[in-house]
Amino acid sequence: MQRRFPLLVAAVIVFIAVAVLLARFLSVEGQERDAIASLLKQRTHGPVKIIRLDSATAYSIGTDEGWTRVVWAPTAKAEPVVQCVRVRRHGGPLTARAVKLLSLRPPLSDNEGSC
């Protein structure tokens, strides 16, 4: 019993460390969504509903840059709008992670195109 206790403590510590790193890694997805929603709210001066978000930088481990295709509507009953946002993510698994929005393209004319 005394030999198992240190192993159990070590296993719990490793589990907690992995869980914390994973939570930090996954929280960046929410940061990107929140930043884009905030940007769209500033341009429409009202509530914004994000319908779909397709990010080229999703789940990147290190620094990455790419286009995010966002389908959104200014209200629940409005027609959806499709736009592309240039996003830069930086930081790593053990450093602070951040999202920066670099540019916003005008709405796609056919709402079907890709970024």
mmCIF file of all heavy atoms in Angstrom, residues 18-36:
data_model
loop_
_atom_site.group_PDB
_atom_site.id
_atom_site.type_symbol
_atom_site.label_atom_id
_atom_site.label_comp_id
_atom_site.label_asym_id
_atom_site.label_seq_id
_atom_site.Cartn_x
_atom_site.Cartn_y
_atom_site.Cartn_z
ATOM 1 N N VAL A 18 -2.087 17.609 -17.634
ATOM 2 C CA VAL A 18 -2.586 17.399 -19.000
ATOM 3 C C VAL A 18 -3.948 18.072 -19.174
ATOM 4 O O VAL A 18 -4.212 18.707 -20.197
ATOM 5 C CB VAL A 18 -2.662 15.890 -19.330
ATOM 6 C CG1 VAL A 18 -3.429 15.636 -20.615
ATOM 7 C CG2 VAL A 18 -1.261 15.305 -19.415
ATOM 8 N N ALA A 19 -4.815 17.978 -18.183
ATOM 9 C CA ALA A 19 -6.140 18.596 -18.260
ATOM 10 C C ALA A 19 -6.031 20.120 -18.366
ATOM 11 O O ALA A 19 -6.757 20.749 -19.143
ATOM 12 C CB ALA A 19 -6.980 18.204 -17.049
ATOM 13 N N VAL A 20 -5.129 20.717 -17.607
ATOM 14 C CA VAL A 20 -4.943 22.180 -17.662
ATOM 15 C C VAL A 20 -4.423 22.608 -19.027
ATOM 16 O O VAL A 20 -4.910 23.573 -19.620
ATOM 17 C CB VAL A 20 -4.000 22.647 -16.529
ATOM 18 C CG1 VAL A 20 -3.529 24.073 -16.742
ATOM 19 C CG2 VAL A 20 -4.680 22.509 -15.185
ATOM 20 N N LEU A 21 -3.423 21.896 -19.563
ATOM 21 C CA LEU A 21 -2.886 22.230 -20.880
ATOM 22 C C LEU A 21 -3.940 22.064 -21.973
ATOM 23 O O LEU A 21 -4.058 22.898 -22.872
ATOM 24 C CB LEU A 21 -1.665 21.369 -21.195
ATOM 25 C CG LEU A 21 -0.397 21.684 -20.407
ATOM 26 C CD1 LEU A 21 0.685 20.657 -20.709
ATOM 27 C CD2 LEU A 21 0.093 23.081 -20.721
ATOM 28 N N LEU A 22 -4.733 21.030 -21.882
ATOM 29 C CA LEU A 22 -5.786 20.802 -22.868
ATOM 30 C C LEU A 22 -6.858 21.886 -22.795
ATOM 31 O O LEU A 22 -7.327 22.379 -23.823
ATOM 32 C CB LEU A 22 -6.410 19.419 -22.663
ATOM 33 C CG LEU A 22 -7.417 18.963 -23.701
ATOM 34 C CD1 LEU A 22 -6.783 18.925 -25.083
ATOM 35 C CD2 LEU A 22 -7.967 17.604 -23.335
ATOM 36 N N ALA A 23 -7.227 22.292 -21.615
ATOM 37 C CA ALA A 23 -8.225 23.354 -21.448
ATOM 38 C C ALA A 23 -7.714 24.673 -22.035
ATOM 39 O O ALA A 23 -8.460 25.394 -22.709
ATOM 40 C CB ALA A 23 -8.580 23.528 -19.976
ATOM 41 N N ARG A 24 -6.457 24.994 -21.802
ATOM 42 C CA ARG A 24 -5.869 26.216 -22.371
ATOM 43 C C ARG A 24 -5.858 26.157 -23.883
ATOM 44 O O ARG A 24 -6.168 27.124 -24.570
ATOM 45 C CB ARG A 24 -4.439 26.405 -21.864
ATOM 46 C CG ARG A 24 -4.347 26.902 -20.450
ATOM 47 C CD ARG A 24 -2.941 27.191 -20.078
ATOM 48 N NE ARG A 24 -2.333 28.014 -21.145
ATOM 49 C CZ ARG A 24 -1.169 28.580 -21.071
ATOM 50 N NH1 ARG A 24 -0.462 28.442 -19.999
ATOM 51 N NH2 ARG A 24 -0.683 29.295 -22.048
ATOM 52 N N PHE A 25 -5.515 25.003 -24.424
ATOM 53 C CA PHE A 25 -5.447 24.812 -25.866
ATOM 54 C C PHE A 25 -6.830 24.991 -26.500
ATOM 55 O O PHE A 25 -6.996 25.686 -27.503
ATOM 56 C CB PHE A 25 -4.896 23.412 -26.150
ATOM 57 C CG PHE A 25 -4.857 23.050 -27.602
ATOM 58 C CD1 PHE A 25 -3.915 23.594 -28.449
ATOM 59 C CD2 PHE A 25 -5.762 22.147 -28.128
ATOM 60 C CE1 PHE A 25 -3.872 23.257 -29.790
ATOM 61 C CE2 PHE A 25 -5.729 21.798 -29.457
ATOM 62 C CZ PHE A 25 -4.777 22.353 -30.287
ATOM 63 N N LEU A 26 -7.842 24.399 -25.908
ATOM 64 C CA LEU A 26 -9.194 24.465 -26.464
ATOM 65 C C LEU A 26 -9.864 25.815 -26.257
ATOM 66 O O LEU A 26 -10.767 26.180 -27.009
ATOM 67 C CB LEU A 26 -10.052 23.344 -25.882
ATOM 68 C CG LEU A 26 -9.621 21.927 -26.275
ATOM 69 C CD1 LEU A 26 -10.464 20.903 -25.552
ATOM 70 C CD2 LEU A 26 -9.690 21.727 -27.778
ATOM 71 N N SER A 27 -9.444 26.579 -25.274
ATOM 72 C CA SER A 27 -10.064 27.881 -25.010
ATOM 73 C C SER A 27 -9.796 28.889 -26.124
ATOM 74 O O SER A 27 -10.543 29.856 -26.286
ATOM 75 C CB SER A 27 -9.601 28.439 -23.670
ATOM 76 O OG SER A 27 -8.255 28.853 -23.746
ATOM 77 N N VAL A 28 -8.754 28.675 -26.927
ATOM 78 C CA VAL A 28 -8.435 29.595 -28.012
ATOM 79 C C VAL A 28 -9.537 29.572 -29.073
ATOM 80 O O VAL A 28 -9.804 30.583 -29.718
ATOM 81 C CB VAL A 28 -7.054 29.269 -28.623
ATOM 82 C CG1 VAL A 28 -6.734 30.186 -29.783
ATOM 83 C CG2 VAL A 28 -5.982 29.375 -27.572
ATOM 84 N N GLU A 29 -10.208 28.439 -29.247
ATOM 85 C CA GLU A 29 -11.318 28.367 -30.203
ATOM 86 C C GLU A 29 -12.411 29.362 -29.799
ATOM 87 O O GLU A 29 -12.965 30.070 -30.637
ATOM 88 C CB GLU A 29 -11.880 26.952 -30.275
ATOM 89 C CG GLU A 29 -10.863 25.884 -30.644
ATOM 90 C CD GLU A 29 -10.093 26.187 -31.916
ATOM 91 O OE1 GLU A 29 -10.718 26.593 -32.915
ATOM 92 O OE2 GLU A 29 -8.866 26.026 -31.909
ATOM 93 N N GLY A 30 -12.711 29.414 -28.527
ATOM 94 C CA GLY A 30 -13.705 30.362 -28.027
ATOM 95 C C GLY A 30 -13.243 31.802 -28.142
ATOM 96 O O GLY A 30 -14.041 32.703 -28.422
ATOM 97 N N GLN A 31 -11.953 32.033 -27.944
ATOM 98 C CA GLN A 31 -11.407 33.389 -28.089
ATOM 99 C C GLN A 31 -11.595 33.900 -29.513
ATOM 100 O O GLN A 31 -11.962 35.061 -29.725
ATOM 101 C CB GLN A 31 -9.918 33.417 -27.747
ATOM 102 C CG GLN A 31 -9.594 33.287 -26.287
ATOM 103 C CD GLN A 31 -8.088 33.279 -26.059
ATOM 104 O OE1 GLN A 31 -7.303 33.623 -26.937
ATOM 105 N NE2 GLN A 31 -7.688 32.872 -24.874
ATOM 106 N N GLU A 32 -11.336 33.029 -30.487
ATOM 107 C CA GLU A 32 -11.491 33.445 -31.893
ATOM 108 C C GLU A 32 -12.957 33.764 -32.191
ATOM 109 O O GLU A 32 -13.273 34.791 -32.785
ATOM 110 C CB GLU A 32 -10.993 32.352 -32.834
ATOM 111 C CG GLU A 32 -11.142 32.734 -34.292
ATOM 112 C CD GLU A 32 -10.559 31.718 -35.260
ATOM 113 O OE1 GLU A 32 -9.748 30.866 -34.846
ATOM 114 O OE2 GLU A 32 -10.924 31.788 -36.447
ATOM 115 N N ARG A 33 -13.847 32.904 -31.764
ATOM 116 C CA ARG A 33 -15.287 33.111 -32.001
ATOM 117 C C ARG A 33 -15.761 34.421 -31.346
ATOM 118 O O ARG A 33 -16.489 35.206 -31.958
ATOM 119 C CB ARG A 33 -16.064 31.915 -31.463
ATOM 120 C CG ARG A 33 -17.538 31.982 -31.738
ATOM 121 C CD ARG A 33 -18.250 30.751 -31.153
ATOM 122 N NE ARG A 33 -19.554 30.615 -31.704
ATOM 123 C CZ ARG A 33 -19.856 29.957 -32.808
ATOM 124 N NH1 ARG A 33 -18.913 29.349 -33.474
ATOM 125 N NH2 ARG A 33 -21.095 29.894 -33.244
ATOM 126 N N ASP A 34 -15.342 34.658 -30.107
ATOM 127 C CA ASP A 34 -15.731 35.876 -29.395
ATOM 128 C C ASP A 34 -15.180 37.133 -30.071
ATOM 129 O O ASP A 34 -15.864 38.152 -30.158
ATOM 130 C CB ASP A 34 -15.274 35.826 -27.936
ATOM 131 C CG ASP A 34 -16.005 34.780 -27.121
ATOM 132 O OD1 ASP A 34 -17.062 34.280 -27.579
ATOM 133 O OD2 ASP A 34 -15.514 34.450 -26.021
ATOM 134 N N ALA A 35 -13.929 37.070 -30.542
ATOM 135 C CA ALA A 35 -13.317 38.229 -31.196
ATOM 136 C C ALA A 35 -14.049 38.556 -32.500
ATOM 137 O O ALA A 35 -14.309 39.726 -32.796
ATOM 138 C CB ALA A 35 -11.834 37.964 -31.466
ATOM 139 N N ILE A 36 -14.403 37.532 -33.263
ATOM 140 C CA ILE A 36 -15.114 37.759 -34.518
ATOM 141 C C ILE A 36 -16.515 38.298 -34.237
ATOM 142 O O ILE A 36 -16.969 39.241 -34.895
ATOM 143 C CB ILE A 36 -15.153 36.463 -35.360
ATOM 144 C CG1 ILE A 36 -13.748 36.163 -35.878
ATOM 145 C CG2 ILE A 36 -16.142 36.592 -36.512
ATOM 146 C CD1 ILE A 36 -13.604 34.829 -36.573
#
